[in-house]
């Protein structure tokens, strides 16, 4: 029995080949699906991000401060993301249509606010980030890490600038204290000179009084005594001047040092601002409330295709129940059932999503339309492959499912996938179904292009089915079949 089983299989080459192809499915699935996203995080430099620099440079303590320009230059030179400098209008359009996955906006007062942290009215620096999680939920989380890195870069830059300012202020205090010490020395010297002058004035005055009382001094002696008195008075004046100068210098230096110290003391409440001077303001143009909503388009598409495979296995879309008179009538008899099954399938899915999963789409009409169109398109593709290609087509259905899972940008954006995935992405029906579902669930955008492409694909698949029916009718493949 074993020998006969293998002999029959060997003689039925088509069956043997089909079994081998089926056995290859797990290997092909892992090869294609995993290779498409093998190192997604290593390809972040392919993610397009817009930079809008509205910053106006400022002059601060004799230096030109242009924090926005410096940040823009650093980001463009980095390889963390694919940064593009653009206008605010172009960035807003790009974030909505998928050209950019994030917009980094540097506001007008960015440099101006950077100069206020040591003033009485400190202002923290704000960087605005705009993301679109409805476009791709996973990439919105990936770019959040990049936003944190940008915030850290600017914080370090601004903090370094203020550390320099604080060190300069401390240096000024040190200079002021040194000047105060010199002033103190001058006061001491002035006091000594003043004391000596007073003593000499006293001596000169005593001598002059004694000379006048005795009347024995000659004119030159009197003149000499007067000269000593004048010299003593002059020394007294010099000592007084030195005392005044020293006192002034001491007072000025101490006042300046106190002022500098007061400035530093008053800014203790801004220490947090200096340590973390940059604030991230994030805006999501199509906020997704949870992970399920973000991943829903991808899993809905998978569910519809897997459901189509199940219907394709259970329903025979080829063998007619009566002898067909034309290919169109033959197709209509089969597609009436397939279309009804597709409508039931999409209707039940809609109820499961809205009632069971509590999905809140931006447009229920768009969602229902995309579910119906996606179901009919996938059913048309599956039945087309089975009818036109037979057993090979059945195998090919699974391969196409794998290709769509790996290349339709359902999880990671197409920029992060492999080369083959980026090439075939525009030709896969699941690509347009996922985009249409995203527009319906989160983005509230137009589904016109997606409907048009899927509609054309559905027409082509059914056209191929009709051609197959017509070819078989011409060959009269049912001439020996009894339909009674």
């Amino acid at each position: 029995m074993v020998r006969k089983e293998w002999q029959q299989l060997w003689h039925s080459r088509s069956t043997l080949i089909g079994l081998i192809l089926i056995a290859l499915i797990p290997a092909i699935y892992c090869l294609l699906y995993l290779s498409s996203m093998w190192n997604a995080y290593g390809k972040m430099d392919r993610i397009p991000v817009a930079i809008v620099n509205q910053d106006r440079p400022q002059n601060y303590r004799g230096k030109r401060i242009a924090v926005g320009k410096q940040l823009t230059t650093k980001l463009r030179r980095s390889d963390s993301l694919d940064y593009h400098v653009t206008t605010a209008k172009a960035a807003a359009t790009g974030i909505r249509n998928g050209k950019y996955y994030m917009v980094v906006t540097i506001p007008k007062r960015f440099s101006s606010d950077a100069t206020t942290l040591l003033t009485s009215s400190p202002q923290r620096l704000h960087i605005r980030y705009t993301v679109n999680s409805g476009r791709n939920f996973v990439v919105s989380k990936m770019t959040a890490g990049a936003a944190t890195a940008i915030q850290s870069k600017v914080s370090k830059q601004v903090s370094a600038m203020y550390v320099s300012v604080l060190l300069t202020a401390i240096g000024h205090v040190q200079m002021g204290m040194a000047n105060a010490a010199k002033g103190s020395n001058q006061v001491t010297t002035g006091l000594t000179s003043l004391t000596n002058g007073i003593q000499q004035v006293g001596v000169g005055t005593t001598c002059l009084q004694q000379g006048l009382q005795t009347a024995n001094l000659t004119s030159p002696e009197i003149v000499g005594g007067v000269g000593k008195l004048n010299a003593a008075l002059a020394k007294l004046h010099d000592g007084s001047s030195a005392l005044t100068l020293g006192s002034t210098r001491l007072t000025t230096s101490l006042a300046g040092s106190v002022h500098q110290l007061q400035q530093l003391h008053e800014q203790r409440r801004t220490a947090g601002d200096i340590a973390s001077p940059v604030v991230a303001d994030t805006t999501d143009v199509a906020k997704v409330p949870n992970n399920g909503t973000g991943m829903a388009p991808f899993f809905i598409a998978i569910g519809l295709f897997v459901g189509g495979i199940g219907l394709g296995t259970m329903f025979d879309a080829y063998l007619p129940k009566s002898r067909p008179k034309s290919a169109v009538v033959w197709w209509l008899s089969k597609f009436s059932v397939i279309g009804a099954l597709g409508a039931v399938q999409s209707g039940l899915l809609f109820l499961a999503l809205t009632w069971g999963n509590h999905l809140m789409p931006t447009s229920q009409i768009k969602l229902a339309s995309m579910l119906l169109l996606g179901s009919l398109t996938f059913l048309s593709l599956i039945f087309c492959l089975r009818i036109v290609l037979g057993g090979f087509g059945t195998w090919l259905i699974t391969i196409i499912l794998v290709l769509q899972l790996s290349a339709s940008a359902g999880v990671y954006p197409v920029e992060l996938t492999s080369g083959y995935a980026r090439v075939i992405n525009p030709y896969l029906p699941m690509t347009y179904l996922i985009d249409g579902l995203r527009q319906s669930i989160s983005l509230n955008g137009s589904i016109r292009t997606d409907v048009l492409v899927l509609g054309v694909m559905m027409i082509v698949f059914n056209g191929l089915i009709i051609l197959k029916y017509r070819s078989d009718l011409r060959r009269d493949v049912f001439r020996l079949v009894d339909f009674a």
Side-chain angles (χ1 to χ4, degrees):
M1 290 179 65
V2 173
R3 185 178 65 254
K4 288 183 178 180
E5 191 72 33
W6 280 96
Q7 286 177 345
Q8 183 177 357
L9 183 61
W10 178 256
H11 291 298
S12 179
R13 298 297 174 86
S14 60
T15 303
L16 179 61
I17 293 174
L19 292 175
I20 293 174
L21 290 176
I22 292 174
L24 283 173
I25 287 176
I28 294 174
Y29 173 80
C30 292
L31 176 64
L32 296 180
Y33 188 61
L34 291 179
S35 64
S36 69
M37 57 184 69
W38 188 256
N39 188 25
Y41 281 86
K43 302 172 183 176
M44 288 289 289
D45 57 338
R46 296 179 183 175
I47 297 296
V49 174
I51 305 175
V52 180
N53 182 20
Q54 300 174 335
D55 183 37
R56 295 176 179 176
Q58 300 289 317
N59 291 321
Y60 181 63
R61 295 180 180 262
K63 295 182 180 180
R64 183 171 177 81
I65 305 298
V67 184
K69 183 178 180 180
Q70 294 173 355
L71 175 60
T72 301
T73 302
K74 287 182 179 180
L75 292 179
R76 291 193 65 186
R77 291 177 179 174
S78 71
D79 57 358
S80 58
L81 294 169
D82 183 18
Y83 292 101
H84 300 265
V85 179
T86 184
T87 63
K89 183 178 180 180
T93 302
I95 192 69
R96 291 189 175 278
N97 62 24
K99 182 178 180 180
Y100 302 118
Y101 286 94
M102 182 172 68
V103 177
V104 181
T105 302
I106 306 172
K108 295 179 181 179
R109 293 186 53 83
F110 201 65
S111 291
S112 177
D113 290 341
T115 65
T116 65
L117 293 186
L118 290 181
T119 66
S120 58
S121 300
Q123 300 293 325
R124 301 181 77 182
L125 287 72
H126 291 255
I127 299 181
R128 296 198 298 269
Y129 300 100
T130 305
V131 297
N132 190 345
S133 58
R135 173 66 58 181
N136 191 291
F137 183 74
V138 173
V139 80
S140 67
K141 300 302 180 183
M142 297 172 73
T143 53
T148 302
I150 294 172
Q151 183 178 349
S152 177
K153 285 182 180 179
V154 182
S155 294
K156 289 181 179 179
Q157 180 181 350
V158 176
S159 295
M161 181 181 71
Y162 277 102
V163 168
S164 176
V165 172
L166 291 173
L167 291 176
T168 301
I170 294 173
H172 288 164
V173 171
Q174 291 175 339
M175 291 177 60
M177 296 304 293
N179 288 332
K182 292 180 181 179
S184 178
N185 290 334
Q186 289 180 343
V187 169
T188 302
T189 302
L191 288 173
T192 302
S193 299
L194 181 62
T195 302
N196 292 335
I198 293 172
Q199 290 176 351
Q200 292 182 9
V201 169
V203 173
T205 302
T206 301
C207 292
L208 183 60
Q209 289 176 347
Q210 291 177 352
L212 291 174
Q213 289 175 357
T214 58
N216 293 325
L217 294 176
T218 62
S219 296
E221 290 176 335
I222 294 175
V223 171
V226 173
K228 288 181 180 181
L229 181 59
N230 289 333
L233 290 173
K235 196 167 186 179
L236 179 62
H237 181 269
D238 291 340
S240 177
S241 298
L243 177 61
T244 302
L245 178 61
S247 299
T248 302
R249 187 170 186 176
L250 175 61
T251 302
T252 303
S253 300
L254 289 175
S257 298
V258 169
H259 177 68
Q260 295 287 344
L261 291 173
Q262 284 179 340
Q263 280 190 320
L264 297 179
H265 174 74
E266 289 174 356
Q267 300 312 315
R268 287 184 303 174
R269 55 193 175 89
T270 65
D273 294 341
I274 297 174
S276 301
V278 182
V279 179
D281 298 327
T282 303
T283 302
D284 196 335
V285 298
K287 186 174 179 59
V288 173
N290 49 55
N291 183 68
T293 302
M295 299 300 295
F298 182 56
F299 287 103
I300 289 172
I302 296 175
L304 287 175
F305 200 91
V306 172
I309 293 177
L311 292 175
T313 302
M314 297 296 295
F315 179 71
D316 184 0
Y318 178 75
L319 186 64
K321 302 305 179 185
S322 61
R323 189 175 301 278
K325 298 180 180 180
S326 69
V328 174
V329 173
W330 185 2
W331 168 82
L332 184 61
S333 65
K334 294 297 183 179
F335 194 80
S336 62
V337 178
I338 295 172
L341 290 174
V344 171
Q345 182 186 66
S346 60
L348 292 174
L349 179 56
F350 179 83
L351 294 177
L353 291 170
T354 54
W355 290 4
N357 296 113
H358 304 289
L359 181 69
M360 301 293 292
T362 58
S363 173
Q364 291 190 347
I365 294 178
K366 289 181 181 179
L367 175 60
S369 301
M370 290 306 305
L371 292 178
L372 178 59
L373 182 58
S375 177
L376 295 179
T377 302
F378 285 165
L379 287 171
S380 299
L381 170 61
I382 291 167
F383 282 109
C384 175
L385 293 174
R386 288 175 61 88
I387 293 171
V388 175
L389 300 179
F392 178 73
T394 302
W395 174 82
L396 194 58
I397 290 171
T398 305
I399 303 304
I400 290 177
L401 173 60
V402 174
L403 290 175
Q404 294 192 119
L405 292 178
S406 60
S408 61
V411 178
Y412 293 102
V414 69
E415 289 85 358
L416 298 183
T417 55
S418 61
Y420 88 86
R422 294 197 300 274
V423 171
I424 67 175
N425 174 267
Y427 306 102
L428 300 174
M430 192 175 286
T431 297
Y432 300 94
L433 176 59
I434 290 175
D435 182 73
L437 290 171
R438 284 172 175 163
Q439 301 290 347
S440 306
I441 295 173
S442 303
L443 299 177
N444 195 27
S446 174
I447 61 173
R448 183 178 305 172
T449 300
D450 303 310
V451 170
L452 178 62
V453 173
L454 290 175
V456 170
M457 288 183 174
M458 184 171 61
I459 292 173
V460 170
F461 297 146
N462 284 281
L464 292 175
I465 293 175
I466 293 174
L467 290 177
K468 171 63 176 176
Y469 287 166
R470 181 173 298 175
S471 174
D472 289 351
L473 284 178
R474 287 178 179 177
R475 292 188 294 112
D476 197 13
V477 295
F478 299 118
R479 61 181 180 275
L480 300 179
V481 177
D482 183 10
F483 288 100

